[in-house]
Amino acid sequence: MKYLLFQDIDKEYGATFDRVLVGSRKRGFGAYEDKDAKLLLKLNPANLVSEISQDTYDGLKKKLSMAPVSYKVIGTVEQDPSKDPNAVYAKPEEVAPSKKKSKPAKSLVSVGKAKVEDPLEGKG
């Protein structure tokens, strides 16, 4: 059994093969009997068809069954449907209750008498 890599997947090679993205190009690969592989290598130039190892073939076969590289799982966030998704809502502050006894407001503020001079007095 021989394993071949086809560089140009649009060219007719006279054999069927699987297609996979290798680097930035799509390429074909397949497993063939020795006599068929020799014939394919003889009929096609070396730069279009090349022999690969079984490990490389297994790696390409595994890659074929994987999800595309550009596939990305988008994270979802649960939102309240009654609110505008583009708005920014302030979070209420959580104030811890004071452990000290609070004083009434009258004891915190003292109001005294003030003498106010009239600036217009005596002018006249």
Side-chain angles (χ1 to χ4, degrees):
M1 187 67 72
K2 290 198 177 194
Y3 306 99
L4 301 178
L5 180 68
F6 300 91
Q7 301 296 332
D8 185 4
I9 61 170
D10 296 324
K11 187 177 182 321
E12 181 58 45
Y13 293 100
T16 58
F17 50 83
D18 293 321
R19 292 166 167 76
V20 70
L21 188 67
V22 178
S24 62
R25 293 181 53 201
K26 286 194 174 190
R27 299 196 176 147
F29 68 98
Y32 304 96
E33 296 294 327
D34 290 341
K35 62 179 182 158
D36 296 332
K38 284 181 185 178
L39 183 63
L40 285 169
L41 288 168
K42 183 179 176 184
L43 294 176
N44 295 293
N47 63 342
L48 291 179
V49 179
S50 56
E51 191 171 345
I52 56 175
S53 67
Q54 183 176 359
D55 292 337
T56 305
Y57 173 80
D58 292 339
L60 291 173
K61 199 72 168 168
K62 182 178 178 183
K63 186 176 181 177
L64 186 64
S65 65
M66 294 171 60
V69 176
S70 62
Y71 176 74
K72 182 179 178 184
V73 177
I74 298 173
T76 57
V77 178
E78 192 172 317
Q79 295 182 339
D80 184 359
S82 65
K83 294 184 178 179
D84 182 5
N86 297 319
V88 178
Y89 294 96
K91 295 179 182 174
E93 286 187 26
E94 294 182 19
V95 179
S98 176
K99 293 183 181 180
K100 293 182 180 179
K101 257 187 164 178
S102 61
K103 297 179 181 179
K106 286 186 178 182
S107 68
L108 296 175
V109 177
S110 62
V111 179
K113 293 189 178 193
K115 182 178 178 185
V116 180
E117 296 179 14
D118 188 4
L120 298 176
E121 188 178 301
K123 301 205 179 187

